Amino acid sequence: MSTSKQQPLLEVRNLRVEFPTRRGSLIAVDGVSMEIAPGEVLGVVGESGAGKSMTGNAVIGLLPSPGRVESGEILLEGERIDNLPYEQMRKIRGKRIGAIFQDPLTSLNPLYTVGEQLVETIQTHLDLSEKGAKDRAVDLLEEVGIPSARERIDHYPHQFSGGMRQRVVIALALCAEPRLIIADEPTTALDVSIQAQIITLIKKLCREHGTAVMLVTHDMGVIAETADRVAVMYAGRIAEIGPVAEVVKNANHPYTHGLMGSIPKVGHEVERLTQIDGSMPRLTEIPTGCAFNPRCTEKGPRCMVERPILEPVENSFVACWKFDPEGTGA
Amino acid sequence: MTAAARTVEGGGIDMNFISRTQDTLHRFLDGDVWYSFTQSRITIVAAIVTIILVGASVLAPFISIHDPFNPVNLNLMDSFTPPVWSEDGRWAFPLGSDDQGRDLYSTILYGSRLSLFIGFASVAFSMSLGVSLGLIAGYLGGSVDAFIMRVADIQISFPGILIALLIDGLARALLPGESHDEVMVYVLILAIGLSQWVNFARTVRGSTMVERNKEYVQAARVIGVSRLFIMVRHIMPNVMGPVLVIATISLAVAILSEAALSFLGVGVPPTQPSLGTLIRIGQDFLFSGEWWIVIFPGMTLAALVLAVNLLGDWLRDALNPKLR
Amino acid sequence: MTEPLVKAKGIARYFDVSPPLLNRLIEGSKRQVVKAVDGVDFEIERGQTLSLVGESGCGKSTIARLVVGLYEPTGGSIEFEGVDLTALDNRKEEAKLRGRMQMIFQDPYASLNPRWRVQDIVAEPIRHKKMFDTRAEVTSRVGELLSQVGLSPADGEKYPHEFSGGQRQRISIARALASNPEFLVCDEPTSALDVSVQAQILNLMKDLQRKFGLTYLFISHDLAVVDHVSDRIGVMYLGRICELADTRELFSNPRHPYSRFLLDAIPDLDMTGKQRIPVAGEVPSPINPPSGCTFHPRCPFANDRCKSEQPELRDVDGTQVACHGVEENRLEPTG
């Protein structure tokens, strides 16, 4: 758990990501702070436009143009990485932070065999001979569950199925034994049965290698199965962050509460699902005060003007005036 | 768009029409296309040049000094007058006069008028032909598609100017001498138009095949509307972006083709000269010192084609979200 | 038993995916046919919801398109109120019957023509069927439809891009309701939406079903969604139905190994900490499906019969299952 005294592996402090446009800046991530302890899986969950992927992209230094980190700090093992020049950041990527993206097809170069791509990545980051790198590549493929790895290593990405490709991407992310992996919607493009396989794989690897994972997804089910702690994001801000069991079963923030209720669950006979009316605001029209206030059923006058800060509630931290001693003003 | 959306019910004046038009205008001025226009200085210059040249040729009867095609206005004594800033220049002929004593300034106005008319008309012709065939080929697919596209392949394997020469030759052979001059303009439009429809058809076919599989087209099919309605009302508005770009670039090509044909002497008759005809006439005198007869029409043609081409380039970039 | 509203008998749809003629002649490659849907039977009672569920490539979306007539079936028949739509020669009659069914699509960004105003989109079926004479009547009907799906009549003036994904799906539903259909085919209507919006749309669809007595054919890959909306469920694998059962029955007592395996793959949101056993392997290519029962390479219960003989759907206590193992009663009971 991150509350222990040891130094967090990744620390994000007050991160703010902006996209300058000709009509003013769009704030995609607004004052996000989080920590990931070594070996921990932190889920970052939210609906589209919540800023969850942007947070992940900011950490690996791959914000899509023209986005930039406007303020805040990102520290990896106590060392600032958000202001590093491109070349230095490139060395950290792959070696100390691995990345797994949504679409396994676009993460692999179709013109090279998976072996060539693995060997190249291994040799970039580790001091190994061609032979040593290839052996390691085979080991990695076996570890992520690719049968007859020694033959398949010479295959091209298109010769693999979707699930197998995602396994290759995971192997690629593991090449240099990074301490942290950013996994951005790693199971979204896959069928349910493959999803289960990939989730199991990620869990197993974390356990065996002590790798920390930042798991960015919109799928509460994946989070519930995989994560230790979860950060729920809404309109670029963290609404609630805490141990996964507490957030999933006993959500504090009205948004998280509604979100959990709106997920249909097998075996729960309900005539109607809990419904949060409205939709996430566009980045151009984020309301003042609490960003969730237009959809919130428990809002008070304070929520309309003053932005709530993350405050401890039980074992979680929740950004809602409901839990403030002064209340919502209602 | 607004007007198109209204025609579903046909007839009747929509009270909201004016406010909707304003609405559309606001949207346009607020939109990315207009913004990219204001950000590109070279495009603004090209647009200004185009507007001046098109405006001047439309207004030719009012802003010219005399009608160069009316023999009453001509006096052979005035021939080969140099431009006004030369020693022998006269204000009656600001850019000088040609071998028949026609004022070059007026002749260029009328010549651009003819060039632009042929250009616009042939683009309109090739666009309607190409867009229709492209929509049909792309939407129906199968053997219809194969047939249209093979015709297009054959068409494109002949250089455009060759087709124009062929049609022109046919027209000359088939039509009696006097009527020939009158219809020559239309023969040119047909010839140039025919040499360009393939570009439109190919582009529209490609986009149509993409749009055809989109769910809004399937929704229309489930509703049960006819294929013609789907092609014209659903798909066509969504494939017109690239067509606009090709049309602009085709306009420049069409004007050049017309000039080339006229220069080769198979274009419009000398009594009704276009810019190309003027250049052909003028080049005879280039080496005898009367440079202005060829230089001024040539510069006008170059400026016009360059400006239209630049507009086309900008439009292509502005409408292509990937390049933004 | 009353006559079902919709009845599909042995419908099939094959797609020709052969290489072009020239390649076949020069390289000697063969014609290839994908059996996207290969002999599927189902019935939908009036006012009920039948869901078809399965992974990508199982043919569920193809069935949706076959039912509404976007594809011609390669074989089999689709009956609507006892009339075989595939055998109907009378175009007018067919158009009339087809007018009573509509479809809602998956992608709210592609299913609305971006160049049309919302009011024209919603009014398209009304104008096509010439349901009203005056423009004012059309406008007021469109306003009514938009209100029914939770939008405001004033939204009709806008273009689709001004709406969020969920609102667009509402517009799609309004368009589908415009011609007063009795039967709606919904092809993954919520899978492109965020969960909070998905709940809104599912609730709306249930409300509308109650209000207008609609019959739904619901296509989805999400078992939890399917559990929420349907009365009966057909589980599909590689172009065939492997189990067709009442919703409660399927979830409490799945019989086909593939159904069990799909149920097992549902993420555990109750955090009971149960260990899932992911079944190995992936859906094979439909171009070269396995022999016999197409699920046998992934099935822990497969034997020689499964490898050679294709199982037919058979009644087992009111549930239809296509599995030799179930028939021979040699599967482990579900726990």
Side-chain angles (χ1 to χ4, degrees), chain C residues 132-157:
Chain C
F132 296 105
D133 295 328
T134 68
R135 180 184 297 232
E137 281 174 302
V138 173
T139 311
S140 85
R141 172 73 177 135
V142 168
E144 187 192 344
L145 285 161
L146 288 174
S147 313
Q148 270 168 6
V149 298
L151 296 169
S152 101
D155 286 333
E157 286 284 312

Side-chain angles (χ1 to χ4, degrees), chain C residues 36-84:
Chain C
V37 177
D38 191 14
V40 165
D41 306 283
F42 58 82
E43 292 175 359
I44 314 175
E45 304 284 331
R46 209 176 272 276
Q48 301 253 300
T49 302
L50 170 76
S51 291
L52 294 177
V53 67
E55 298 178 277
S56 48
C58 73
K60 53 190 193 297
S61 285
T62 308
I63 291 190
R65 282 164 171 73
L66 282 169
V67 170
V68 295
L70 282 173
Y71 291 149
E72 288 290 324
T74 311
S77 68
I78 299 160
E79 287 176 16
F80 189 77
E81 275 190 341
V83 183
D84 185 357

Side-chain angles (χ1 to χ4, degrees), chain A:
Chain A
M1 287 280 121
S2 67
T3 40
S4 60
K5 281 281 163 245
Q6 73 186 122
Q7 187 191 32
L9 179 68
L10 179 78
E11 198 175 349
V12 177
R13 287 188 197 147
N14 253 325
L15 179 70
R16 184 178 166 102
V17 173
E18 289 193 5
F19 284 78
T21 73
R22 65 187 161 97
R23 280 184 253 263
S25 276
L26 299 178
I27 303 158
V29 177
D30 191 0
V32 162
S33 303
M34 55 177 74
E35 291 178 358
I36 304 179
E40 183 187 39
V41 179
L42 174 73
V44 179
V45 73
E47 301 181 275
S48 38
K52 53 189 192 306
S53 286
M54 286 306 155
T55 309
N57 285 334
V59 172
I60 41 176
L62 287 177
L63 281 172
S65 170
R68 56 161 196 262
V69 174
E70 182 60 31
S71 61
E73 293 180 347
I74 301 168
L75 294 97
L76 182 68
E77 296 174 308
E79 175 196 341
R80 238 183 119 169
I81 56 166
D82 58 288
N83 53 1
L84 290 180
Y86 181 81
E87 265 310 301
Q88 260 175 290
M89 194 59 214
R90 199 178 63 85
K91 285 193 184 123
I92 289 181
R93 251 190 331 256
K95 176 130 181 79
R96 291 167 65 192
I97 309 180
I100 304 169
F101 295 106
Q102 173 171 348
D103 184 358
L105 197 52
T106 50
S107 326
L108 295 169
N109 188 334
L111 297 178
Y112 294 94
T113 65
V114 300
E116 284 165 342
Q117 300 185 48
L118 281 164
V119 166
E120 196 205 328
T121 315
I122 292 168
Q123 286 193 312
T124 312
H125 298 296
L126 302 176
D127 192 20
L128 280 175
S129 66
E130 181 85 29
K131 171 97 178 36
K134 184 150 187 190
D135 286 341
R136 180 163 167 74
V138 173
D139 290 346
L140 279 167
L141 287 179
E142 271 167 5
E143 195 176 353
V144 296
I146 290 180
S148 50
R150 198 157 283 280
E151 291 139 44
R152 302 224 66 186
I153 195 166
D154 293 323
H155 287 184
Y156 288 89
H158 71 89
Q159 292 169 293
F160 289 80
S161 66
M164 286 297 156
R165 246 181 248 135
Q166 193 62 299
R167 287 169 192 267
V168 174
V169 172
I170 293 174
L172 213 48
L174 287 174
C175 275
E177 290 266 329
R179 303 285 315 280
L180 174 69
I181 288 180
I182 310 286
D184 190 352
E185 304 272 7
T187 59
T188 307
L190 307 171
D191 272 324
V192 273
S193 58
I194 319 298
Q195 260 182 26
Q197 296 170 12
I198 298 293
I199 291 174
T200 315
L201 175 66
I202 291 177
K203 271 160 83 177
K204 183 189 114 193
L205 293 173
C206 287
R207 214 173 35 240
E208 286 170 8
H209 295 253
T211 316
V213 179
M214 179 169 164
L215 178 64
V216 178
T217 180
H218 71 279
D219 190 336
M220 253 318 185
V222 172
I223 297 273
E225 296 246 328
T226 324
D228 300 312
R229 284 189 311 133
V230 56
V232 180
M233 289 191 70
Y234 187 84
R237 308 161 184 190
I238 291 183
E240 178 164 1
I241 180 167
V244 70
E246 187 169 315
V247 175
V248 166
K249 282 180 163 164
N250 198 5
N252 288 301
H253 195 283
Y255 171 64
T256 323
H257 192 77
L259 190 67
M260 292 312 303
S262 66
I263 304 173
K265 291 170 202 77
V266 168
H268 294 222
E269 297 271 333
V270 284
E271 191 43 41
R272 287 175 67 87
L273 298 163
T274 317
Q275 178 168 329
I276 317 174
D277 288 326
S279 52
M280 171 112 48
R282 293 183 186 198
L283 289 182
T284 45
E285 40 206 46
I286 291 178
T288 52
C290 174
F292 185 60
N293 72 48
R295 304 174 74 185
C296 186
T297 49
E298 302 173 59
K299 61 172 173 272
R302 192 179 180 191
C303 306
M304 313 300 287
V305 286
E306 202 179 338
R307 182 178 157 180
I309 47 169
L310 278 172
E311 287 177 294
V313 179
E314 292 170 46
N315 295 318
S316 308
F317 288 82
V318 183
C320 178
W321 289 130
K322 202 170 102 178
F323 301 99
D324 191 70
E326 291 165 43
T328 59

Side-chain angles (χ1 to χ4, degrees), chain B residues 85-138:
Chain B
W85 56 87
S86 319
E87 249 175 65
D88 300 327
R90 281 189 287 148
W91 272 111
F93 303 98
L95 298 180
S97 71
D98 67 0
D99 58 333
Q100 296 175 48
R102 295 189 288 209
D103 169 38
L104 258 182
Y105 162 70
S106 308
T107 322
I108 289 172
L109 287 184
Y110 277 91
S112 325
R113 189 179 158 100
L114 191 62
S115 288
L116 277 167
F117 171 70
I118 295 176
F120 276 115
S122 61
V123 169
F125 172 62
S126 57
M127 188 162 92
S128 5
L129 187 68
V131 170
S132 321
L133 290 176
L135 274 173
I136 293 171

